[in-house]
Amino acid sequence: MKIPLTKALPIGKNEACQTYYDSKQSLTKALPIGKNEACQTYYDSKRSKTFLTIAPTNNRKLVNIIKNFTSRFINTMELDSNSLKRMSDTIRFLAVDMVQKANSGHPGMPMGLADIMAVFHSYYRHNPKNPKWLNRDRLVFSGGHGSALVYSMLHLWGYDMTLQDLQNFRQLGSKTPGHPESTHTEGIEVTTGPLGQGVANAVGFAFAEKYGKNILEDIINHKVYCFCGDGDLQEGISYEASSLAGHNKLDNLVVIYDSNDITIDGCTDLCFTENIEARFKAQDWDVTTIDGHNFQEIDTAFLKAQKQTKPLLIIARTKIGRGSASMEGSHKTHGAPLGDEEIKISKEKAGWDLEPFHTPKDTVARFRSAIERGELLEKQWEALVSQSSQKDLLAKLVNPNFDEIVYPTFDKADATRSTNSEILQSIAKALPGFIGGSADLAGSNKTELKGMGEFPQGRNIRFGIREHAMAAMTNAMANYGIFIPFNSTFFIFSDYSKPSVRVAALMGSKNFFIWTHDSIGVGEDGGTHQPIEQLSTFRAMPGFYLFRPADGNENVACWKIAFRIKGTCGFALTRQKTALLDRSNVVGSVAQGGYLLSKAKNPQVTLVASGSEVGLALEAKEVLEQQGIPTSIVSVPCFDLFNEQDDEYKQEIIDPKTEVVAIEAASGYEWYKYADAVIGMDSFGESAPADKLFEKFGFTVENIVGTIKSLLNH
């Protein structure tokens, strides 16, 4: 028979069993009772439950032990409630002490969720000694302000997070910043803080697991858990992502909604009264509502999650600041320390040691059982992989070989969105982890991967008109470990996704943002659809590299570099055709962000441009040199990379002894770092054919030549 072990139970010390377990320690591994006695523990590779397997026996003493053990298990929750309370109080007061010592932070949410986390511990499949184990459950805290809870759990589970780290909460150089950052702290799956994004991140992880399971079969089989709050569900991105999750029936996704009815300003009924259960059911989710402080109800909800057939929302009715002597349920606990006196009274009321950062050995032992459980799970998984017919595919996904990409070459003028489409096909053929889609603009963005099928069986994802969720989801997919995602929309709609682009750059995620229709060249759609300030916005973003290639071959070079950059990359691509460039006598390279495309002898003028304006600069050069003005042309497909070069290279490419004029169909103020004048946009665009707009706003050979003559005369 199989007896599920979800909590610690005393076995007793006797002749048949050489080992016993303290009732306050999690039982995760039963030791052999005898060489020929079939009492052993095993972990089902597809479930998080632990079982004690007992074969038929005539050993009377062993039978009695089993009977006693079984009777105790039947009332596990009743017998173990005190231990669970100690576990939750350990979490609760660690978070309280962290915030108090830092004199900064958010104690209310960690206190309210502590009871749920005590039970969640038994369901969460992970390995603290290898936080990057591929088949681990993914855990996202969308409410990143509750980071004291996250760090407390990492410490208790046995990650590389010491008590000293907790005591350095929110301090310079610590592992415990105010909001959790995936590149800063081991065990954090994705950087969260801006509310709502974590919900979309969780959906992205669930997408990754779903596709991974389809191509790798039983190698991938895990859950995605997300904790969110009222603020997350008020943000529109959570609706976008949840809608996609329901549409795709993500049965691997569990969202725990910390419904405490409190935001910073006070009670949520000030502005948030919708029926969340009805909202999620309308999006085809399963929904269950529990008392977030009732251990039995919490356990029942997580048990249900193991058998779900749709995404599951657990609405947990909680009290913010749970355990605070006089402030429980108050918005005052949201974003400020409780104060020494309130903490003292609260700990006394709970029967807790007054010493700050107190961690009882028995509860630590329970939490640390995650280590041996996780190591055993991973070893089982490794054995499974070694026997899998998909192990070679897994190896390619884990270690993509970019040298295997056979890029196209281009010999005629074309729109860079069109040349980019051919490049995407080449990448997808070589890299099985290259996956992505568009926000309902695949035909216009030209990003469909031909012959690659539709998600979840294939690699083309239909995000619908959900730019913000799309960006956050692909951020998570980039962090998943085996995929290289891209997402696409019109450049003007990058505004909808910018908050998630910023987090991608903060994480350095290899998520590729493909934006087409990059200037007033959009034409007839008018000012609402013509990007003006967007190039400058993303160039100002730290850790983000924006490429604006001038033609198809430069586009290829940009992709080669983008795959090797330690940072997040975007592409701004044209709707209209651009000239094919002659690179027979270049100085420098695309890899350095900018290069001399055409060097004049004893130049008086240097024209600097990107994208579609490079061809225009070449036309102006011809006229200027006919008039006796030697002119060099510089193409700068990546302003951000060019900025990183040393002064010697920059001055070799952009000669400071010449009059430097930058040309770009955008606001372009950043060009004044190098240019004496900028021919750019200082207004919104208008509705007209593209050629008429370029003429109206001064992107003509005549205007460029006139501007340069004026500069030289002065």
Side-chain angles (χ1 to χ4, degrees):
M1 59 182 172
K2 294 180 180 179
I3 301 174
L5 305 177
T6 56
K7 306 292 178 291
L9 297 171
I11 292 179
K13 191 173 184 180
N14 50 72
E15 296 177 4
C17 186
Q18 301 300 318
T19 300
Y20 73 98
Y21 292 83
D22 186 283
S23 63
K24 295 176 180 178
Q25 181 177 353
S26 291
L27 179 56
T28 61
K29 187 185 293 183
L31 299 184
I33 292 177
K35 288 184 179 179
N36 299 315
E37 300 285 357
C39 181
Q40 58 185 337
T41 295
Y42 74 96
Y43 289 82
D44 187 308
S45 64
K46 295 183 179 179
R47 299 181 58 196
S48 62
K49 303 299 267 184
T50 308
F51 294 92
L52 180 64
T53 302
I54 304 170
T57 178
N58 292 322
N59 186 317
R60 179 62 56 186
K61 290 183 179 179
L62 181 57
V63 170
N64 289 335
I65 292 171
I66 295 169
K67 287 181 178 179
N68 179 54
F69 183 88
T70 306
S71 65
R72 287 175 179 272
F73 174 74
I74 292 172
N75 296 307
T76 296
M77 295 306 301
E78 178 182 345
L79 289 173
D80 210 38
S81 60
N82 289 334
S83 297
L84 286 169
K85 178 64 164 57
R86 282 176 63 78
M87 292 172 73
S88 62
D89 279 345
T90 302
I91 300 166
R92 182 173 286 115
F93 289 118
L94 270 180
V96 165
D97 289 339
M98 290 169 65
V99 174
Q100 187 64 29
K101 188 174 188 303
N103 195 31
S104 173
H106 301 76
M109 187 263 268
M111 297 175 77
L113 280 175
D115 295 331
I116 295 175
M117 295 308 299
V119 177
F120 175 70
H121 160 75
S122 296
Y123 289 88
Y124 182 36
R125 292 170 19 122
H126 60 130
N127 183 1
K129 295 307 177 185
N130 181 12
K132 297 299 183 183
W133 172 41
L134 183 59
N135 202 41
R136 68 192 181 276
D137 289 337
R138 300 306 196 270
L139 176 58
V140 179
F141 287 89
S142 189
H145 59 277
S147 57
L149 172 65
V150 183
Y151 303 139
S152 296
M153 297 308 305
L154 292 178
H155 168 70
L156 292 169
W157 279 326
Y159 284 81
D160 184 19
M161 178 68 66
T162 66
L163 271 178
Q164 183 65 45
D165 292 324
L166 300 189
Q167 292 164 1
N168 287 333
F169 182 52
R170 287 182 165 233
Q171 303 308 301
L172 183 64
S174 74
K175 293 180 184 177
T176 49
H179 291 79
E181 298 180 27
S182 61
T183 52
H184 196 77
T185 307
E186 191 176 86
I188 303 299
E189 297 287 359
V190 64
T191 297
T192 56
L195 291 177
Q197 283 194 42
V199 176
N201 295 148
V203 175
F205 280 131
F207 265 58
E209 193 275 349
K210 185 65 67 178
Y211 180 63
K213 183 184 296 183
N214 280 333
I215 62 172
L216 293 171
E217 300 172 354
D218 52 359
I219 290 178
I220 299 295
N221 183 22
H222 64 80
K223 292 288 186 184
V224 178
Y225 295 97
C226 175
F227 286 81
C228 74
D230 293 296
D232 293 296
L233 297 190
Q234 290 178 46
E235 292 286 356
I237 185 175
S238 69
Y239 183 91
E240 294 179 22
S242 299
S243 174
L244 264 176
H247 173 75
N248 285 280
K249 301 189 185 305
L250 300 179
D251 58 359
N252 53 0
L253 176 62
V254 183
V255 174
I256 301 94
Y257 166 34
D258 178 27
S259 178
N260 59 32
D261 297 327
I262 292 294
T263 56
I264 293 175
D265 283 347
C267 186
T268 53
D269 62 12
L270 291 170
C271 61
F272 187 56
T273 55
E274 69 187 73
N275 185 327
I276 293 298
E277 179 179 359
R279 165 177 154 182
F280 275 80
K281 283 185 174 179
Q283 295 178 103
D284 206 17
W285 285 55
D286 279 337
V287 181
T288 186
T289 301
I290 63 170
D291 177 349
H293 305 300
N294 183 304
F295 294 128
Q296 181 66 64
E297 290 189 24
I298 298 167
D299 189 70
T300 299
F302 281 121
L303 191 60
K304 177 180 180 179
Q306 309 313 306
K307 302 175 182 179
Q308 68 194 90
T309 58
K310 296 179 179 181
L312 174 64
L313 178 70
I314 300 173
I315 301 176
R317 304 295 186 191
T318 63
K319 290 187 177 180
I320 194 171
R322 175 76 167 182
S324 175
S326 65
M327 299 167 66
E328 183 177 298
S330 170
H331 70 281
K332 294 179 180 179
T333 67
H334 171 80
L338 299 186
D340 291 331
E341 186 62 24
E342 178 69 14
I343 293 173
K344 177 178 180 293
I345 297 171
S346 300
K347 288 183 176 180
E348 288 174 344
K349 184 177 178 181
W352 201 252
D353 194 307
L354 297 182
E355 183 69 20
F357 298 93
H358 173 61
T359 51
K361 291 183 179 179
D362 60 314
T363 59
V364 172
R366 277 177 172 266
F367 284 117
R368 292 287 164 85
S369 69
I371 296 174
E372 68 173 11
R373 186 172 63 211
E375 289 179 337
L376 186 55
L377 282 168
E378 184 170 358
K379 287 183 185 300
Q380 285 188 315
W381 180 78
E382 289 173 347
L384 182 68
V385 171
S386 69
Q387 300 298 318
S388 174
S389 61
Q390 302 300 326
K391 62 182 178 182
D392 291 340
L393 173 57
L394 176 62
K396 287 185 177 181
L397 291 166
V398 172
N399 298 297
N401 186 351
F402 300 112
D403 292 331
E404 292 184 353
I405 303 171
V406 180
Y407 290 98
T409 56
F410 301 96
D411 58 7
K412 63 179 181 179
D414 206 347
T416 52
R417 64 168 174 159
S418 298
T419 57
N420 192 70
S421 177
E422 293 187 46
I423 295 168
L424 294 183
Q425 310 311 315
S426 298
I427 295 170
K429 288 175 183 176
L431 304 180
F434 193 63
I435 181 173
S438 171
D440 197 48
L441 290 168
S444 293
N445 300 145
K446 299 195 174 184
T447 50
E448 183 170 350
L449 303 180
K450 297 172 184 177
M452 297 292 179
E454 299 286 328
F455 177 86
Q457 285 75 31
R459 290 197 251 166
N460 288 294
I461 301 175
R462 305 296 179 179
F463 289 103
I465 308 162
R466 302 178 180 95
E467 291 87 359
H468 196 182
M470 173 179 69
M473 287 170 61
T474 46
N475 282 349
M477 295 176 75
N479 285 18
Y480 187 78
I482 56 175
F483 296 120
I484 303 170
F486 69 89
N487 65 89
S488 59
T489 187
F490 287 167
F491 195 23
I492 192 66
F493 300 139
S494 65
D495 288 351
Y496 283 138
S497 55
K498 182 178 175 293
S500 292
V501 180
R502 187 178 188 275
V503 173
L506 183 61
M507 294 188 291
S509 294
K510 297 307 292 182
N511 185 9
F512 294 93
F513 296 86
I514 298 172
W515 296 313
T516 67
H517 298 61
D518 69 341
S519 73
I520 56 173
V522 169
E524 292 85 351
D525 279 342
T528 59
H529 282 53
Q530 294 165 5
I532 301 296
E533 74 280 11
Q534 281 70 22
L535 281 171
S536 298
T537 296
F538 288 106
R539 285 170 177 163
M541 185 179 289
F544 190 81
Y545 296 84
L546 182 60
F547 293 90
R548 190 173 184 241
D551 71 355
N553 295 314
E554 194 171 274
N555 199 356
V556 167
C558 290
W559 271 103
K560 289 179 178 179
I561 298 156
F563 278 132
R564 288 168 170 77
I565 286 177
K566 291 184 178 179
T568 305
C569 299
F571 288 80
L573 306 170
T574 65
R575 177 195 184 197
Q576 74 278 18
K577 289 183 178 181
T578 61
L580 187 71
L581 305 182
D582 178 4
R583 290 186 180 77
S584 56
N585 293 298
V586 303
V587 177
S589 71
V590 175
Q592 292 157 302
Y595 63 98
L596 260 172
L597 177 63
S598 178
K599 184 177 181 180
K601 185 177 181 180
N602 300 318
Q604 289 181 261
V605 173
T606 299
L607 296 182
V608 182
S610 74
S612 54
E613 287 72 70
V614 174
L616 178 61
L618 286 167
E619 292 177 28
K621 169 186 169 71
E622 290 186 20
V623 175
L624 287 166
E625 293 191 336
Q626 288 171 5
Q627 297 181 20
I629 305 173
T631 303
S632 292
I633 304 297
V634 174
S635 176
V636 184
C638 187
F639 184 88
D640 314 279
L641 269 178
F642 187 72
N643 278 342
E644 293 178 356
Q645 307 308 309
D646 58 35
D647 288 341
E648 183 180 356
Y649 180 79
K650 291 178 184 177
Q651 291 175 16
E652 179 185 13
I653 302 305
I654 301 178
D655 188 343
K657 298 186 294 295
T658 64
E659 291 290 341
V660 180
V661 177
I663 309 168
E664 195 166 63
S667 54
Y669 290 112
E670 63 272 21
W671 287 111
Y672 283 109
K673 183 173 184 177
Y674 303 107
D676 300 299
V678 176
I679 298 173
M681 294 290 296
D682 56 9
S683 69
F684 292 113
E686 293 185 23
S687 176
D691 58 342
K692 300 295 183 183
L693 292 173
F694 280 109
E695 181 180 351
K696 172 181 172 60
F697 291 107
F699 297 99
T700 63
V701 170
E702 292 75 18
N703 184 55
I704 294 169
V705 171
T707 299
I708 289 166
K709 284 185 174 181
S710 178
L711 281 172
L712 293 174
N713 289 334
H714 284 289

